[in-house]
Amino acid sequence: MPFLGQDWRSPGWRWVKTEDGWKRCEPFSPALEDGSNQLNDISHTVILTGDDEDEEIYSTEDCEFAAKKRKKDHFRNNTDSQCFYREKWIYVHKESTRERHGYCTLGEAFNRLDFSSAIQDIRRFNYVVKLLQLIAKSQLTSLSGAAQKNYFNILDKIVRKVMEDQYNPRLIKDLLQDLSSTLCILIRGVGKSVLVGNINIWICRLETILLWQQQLKNLQMNKQVNNGLTLSDLPLHMLNNILYRFSDGWDIITLGQVTPTLYMLSEDRQLWKKLCQYHFAEKQFCRHLIPSEKGHIDWKLMYFALQKYYPIKEQYGDTLHFCRHCSILFWKDTGHPCTASDPNTCLMPVSPQHFIDLFKF
C-alpha cells in the first residue's frame, strides 16, 4: 500500500510534469490543499447536457473521474502552487540493493542536478556548456525522453543568455555545431539508432538549432560607453599579466584584436611557450616542434597543432563534486547529507568527462 513519508526513496509522492521533466511536489501544501478542496466540490454536483428531452445524468464515478482530471490540469498549469523537491544531489548507484532498486541513469542525473539554475551562475556556465557538448557528441541517445526535452530546454535558456549578455558566444557555437552534426547523422539513420519521439519533432529541433546558429552568427557586440578607466589605460606590465592569466589560446587571440598594443603583447613567444607548457607535457610538444623562419620554435602554431592531438587542461570556476563515502553527486555549495566524520576529505571534483563516465555501465 502506498504511503507518504519523508524518506526520498518512498513511493507515494506526487509528481508533476513540467517543461524540465517530472518534478516532485510536497504532499501537504496549503495552496494545493485549497485547490484540491475546490476541485473536490465538482464531484458532488450533477452535470446535465443536451436538450430538455435528452437529458444525460452522469454518475458519481464519472464526476470523480472528471474531478481527478481537473486536478491534474490544475497541478500542471498552476506553477505558483507547486512545491518541488529541494535536493540538488543524486545518489549514484550502479547495481540493485535492498534499499535501492535498479541503477542511476545519465538522464536521471541530468534532470535532478538542476542545470537550469546552474547556467545563471557565471562560475558554472562553462562547465554546463561543456557537459552538454559531450552529451551531444556521444550520449544524446542515452538520455530518456524527459531528459532529452530537458536538454533542449536548457540549451534554449543558454542561447537566450548569450544573446542577451553576449557572454562567450564562441563556446555556444561549438556546442551547436557538434549537436547539429550529431542530429543530422541520427535523423538519416533513424531506423538504426534510438531517438525518443517522433522524427518530425527532431527535424523541428534541428531547424531550431540552425536558426540559433544564424542568430549567433549575426550577433553584434554592443559598445559600452564608459568615461572612466578602460583596459587601454592600464600599464603594459598589467596588460601582459592579464594575458598570462588566460588558459585558452583563442581568448588570447580575441583580446589581441582589441588594440594594437594588445596585439603586440598577444604575439609574445614567451606567452605561447608558457601556454604550451601548461597544457602539454614536454614529451608531447617535443614530437611536434614547428620552427619559424628565423629558426626559433613557433610556440603559437605549436599550441594549435598540439591541440589537435592531445586534450588541453580544463578550468572551471565551479564543478560538481562526488562524495566517495556517500556515493552522492552534488553541487558543492548546496551540500549533501554526508555521514562521514570529515566530509571534506571525501570530496572529489568531477569534470564533465568524468560525469559522463560515472554513468557508463
Side-chain angles (χ1 to χ4, degrees):
M1 180 176 178
F3 64 95
L4 296 176
Q6 296 298 323
D7 192 346
W8 64 273
R9 298 167 296 181
S10 67
W13 291 104
R14 293 180 180 178
W15 295 84
V16 180
K17 190 175 183 182
T18 65
E19 293 181 352
D20 300 328
W22 288 90
K23 301 289 186 180
R24 191 176 70 195
C25 288
E26 295 291 341
F28 300 106
S29 174
L32 295 181
E33 290 298 323
D34 294 341
S36 299
N37 294 333
Q38 294 176 3
L39 293 172
N40 283 332
D41 295 338
I42 302 176
S43 61
H44 300 293
T45 59
V46 178
I47 304 175
L48 301 178
T49 59
D51 299 330
D52 296 337
E53 298 178 358
D54 300 328
E55 292 184 350
E56 182 179 356
I57 302 178
Y58 287 89
S59 63
T60 305
E61 294 181 357
D62 294 334
C63 294
E64 290 179 355
F65 177 78
K68 290 180 180 178
K69 187 176 186 305
R70 289 183 176 85
K71 282 184 183 180
K72 291 182 180 180
D73 296 337
H74 172 75
F75 289 136
R76 290 175 182 173
N77 298 329
N78 191 359
T79 56
D80 295 335
S81 63
Q82 294 178 3
C83 302
F84 303 137
Y85 58 86
R86 297 180 179 179
E87 299 89 348
K88 296 180 181 180
W89 49 266
I90 187 169
Y91 179 84
V92 181
H93 53 107
K94 297 186 178 182
E95 57 184 7
S96 298
T97 63
R98 185 173 298 179
E99 293 81 9
R100 298 175 177 89
H101 179 68
Y103 55 88
C104 182
T105 63
L106 177 63
E108 186 179 357
F110 191 82
N111 288 335
R112 283 290 301 274
L113 290 172
D114 194 18
F115 290 108
S116 295
S117 300
I119 61 175
Q120 304 302 327
D121 190 337
I122 193 172
R123 300 172 304 164
R124 301 174 180 173
F125 183 83
N126 292 357
Y127 181 89
V128 177
V129 173
K130 182 63 176 180
L131 179 59
L132 264 63
Q133 188 175 13
L134 292 177
I135 293 176
K137 288 182 177 179
S138 59
Q139 301 296 321
L140 189 60
T141 56
S142 300
L143 299 179
S144 63
Q148 288 178 356
K149 186 177 181 180
N150 189 20
Y151 179 95
F152 283 94
N153 287 336
I154 294 174
L155 186 58
D156 180 45
K157 294 177 182 178
I158 289 176
V159 174
R160 290 182 185 179
K161 180 177 177 60
V162 173
M163 297 297 295
E164 294 174 0
D165 301 342
Q166 301 176 348
Y167 176 73
N168 209 343
R170 178 175 55 83
L171 191 63
I172 313 304
K173 290 178 182 179
D174 295 340
L175 166 60
L176 295 179
Q177 181 61 39
D178 292 336
L179 183 58
S180 61
S181 301
T182 301
L183 286 184
C184 288
I185 296 173
L186 293 177
I187 290 174
R188 280 197 295 262
V190 63
K192 304 176 182 179
S193 61
V194 179
L195 276 177
V196 180
N198 190 285
I199 185 63
N200 294 325
I201 297 177
W202 288 97
I203 293 176
C204 291
R205 286 173 175 171
L206 181 59
E207 293 175 351
T208 303
I209 293 172
L210 297 177
L211 178 61
W212 287 338
Q213 288 178 314
Q214 188 63 34
Q215 291 175 348
L216 291 173
K217 184 178 180 181
N218 299 330
L219 180 63
Q220 298 292 332
M221 296 296 178
N222 297 329
K223 293 183 179 180
Q224 297 182 356
V225 179
N226 188 2
N227 298 325
L229 187 68
T230 63
L231 189 64
S232 303
D233 298 327
L234 296 176
L236 289 179
H237 71 277
M238 294 186 66
L239 293 175
N240 196 40
N241 194 16
I242 292 174
L243 287 169
Y244 272 84
R245 294 285 188 263
F246 288 141
S247 61
D248 192 335
W250 284 110
D251 291 337
I252 296 176
I253 292 177
T254 303
L255 185 59
Q257 296 174 351
V258 177
T259 62
T261 302
L262 287 171
Y263 175 77
M264 177 192 67
L265 295 175
S266 67
E267 293 295 320
D268 183 24
R269 290 180 60 255
Q270 193 65 22
L271 171 64
W272 291 97
K273 181 180 179 180
K274 290 289 185 181
L275 196 62
C276 289
Q277 291 175 342
Y278 172 77
H279 286 289
F280 311 107
E282 186 176 354
K283 293 182 179 180
Q284 293 175 340
F285 59 74
C286 284
R287 298 175 184 173
H288 304 275
L289 292 177
I290 303 177
S292 62
E293 297 178 355
K294 298 180 180 180
H296 302 293
I297 299 175
D298 194 334
W299 293 102
K300 181 179 178 181
L301 291 179
M302 202 167 82
Y303 168 80
F304 291 103
L306 291 172
Q307 200 177 27
K308 298 178 181 178
Y309 297 101
Y310 310 105
I312 62 175
K313 292 182 180 179
E314 298 176 355
Q315 285 185 335
Y316 302 102
D318 189 17
T319 66
L320 287 169
H321 281 70
F322 180 75
C323 180
R324 293 187 293 267
H325 178 78
C326 305
S327 298
I328 287 179
L329 192 64
F330 64 102
W331 294 107
K332 191 174 182 179
D333 60 350
T334 59
H336 74 289
C338 187
T339 58
S341 57
D342 190 2
N344 292 330
T345 60
C346 307
L347 301 185
M348 179 180 62
V350 177
S351 66
Q353 185 59 54
H354 187 195
F355 179 89
I356 301 294
D357 296 337
L358 281 175
F359 303 98
K360 287 184 178 180
F361 304 106

